[in-house]
Amino acid sequence: MERYTDDGSTPDLDLVEYVVITVPELSSTVGVAAALGDLVDSARIRILDLVGVVVGPDGRVTVVEPELVPGLARLREVQGEVGGLLSEDDLALASSALQPGTSALIVVVEDCWARLLSGAARDVGGRIVGGERIPRYRLEQAARAARGGAA
């Protein structure tokens, strides 16, 4: 049975995901950076990689390193190594959902809040093997259906 030791230096690889956060433009990321910083400070997440992307009107994706985005200054204080996990293919895949003329932050995080659950699963020979965001429109449809409205 694989054992994970929570020494704080190694991420639990069963708890790593990427999140795409759209913003009107990368210059408007101050509040998002503050929220990410608070999540790191409270040990709910660990940021493993972070990049900005800008999708031009022609659909061309430009990758912007976080140190070049003034709105992300708050995250320069974040502890640990950040970077190097996202490949060009990862960025292309994550950016494919973005509309032309939009920007986004792509963040790879360890969901530290789930370490207790991950450890409990490992203790009995299991693992956390997946998870997925449920699209907003599906939740709204389900809520309408539960209220007796059209799905």
Side-chain angles (χ1 to χ4, degrees), residues 1-137:
M1 172 171 36
E2 176 186 353
R3 293 290 300 167
Y4 167 74
T5 57
D6 187 6
D7 65 0
S9 65
T10 306
D12 182 334
L13 299 181
D14 290 339
L15 302 179
V16 175
E17 67 173 329
Y18 76 91
V19 180
V20 180
I21 306 162
T22 62
V23 292
E25 48 191 44
L26 291 180
S27 63
S28 61
T29 56
V30 174
V32 174
L36 286 169
D38 290 349
L39 289 169
V40 169
D41 291 346
S42 66
R44 292 184 197 143
I45 66 168
R46 179 191 327 206
I47 297 174
L48 303 175
D49 204 351
L50 168 69
V51 297
V53 295
V54 177
V55 183
D58 61 355
R60 180 173 290 155
V61 175
T62 302
V63 176
V64 181
E65 293 300 322
E67 53 273 4
L68 300 176
V69 180
L72 298 179
R74 161 69 168 87
L75 297 179
R76 291 185 186 102
E77 306 165 12
V78 170
Q79 295 292 327
E81 290 292 317
V82 175
L85 292 179
L86 289 166
S87 70
E88 287 184 29
D89 289 340
D90 295 330
L91 294 171
L93 178 64
S95 299
S96 67
L98 301 174
Q99 298 296 317
T102 61
S103 299
L105 297 176
I106 302 173
V107 189
V108 178
V109 298
E110 175 191 7
D111 292 326
C112 301
W113 60 267
R115 285 180 180 161
L116 184 63
L117 179 60
S118 182
R122 260 193 208 91
D123 287 346
V124 297
R127 289 182 42 220
I128 295 176
V129 296
E132 186 173 338
R133 299 239 184 288
I134 301 169
R136 180 184 186 103
Y137 76 91

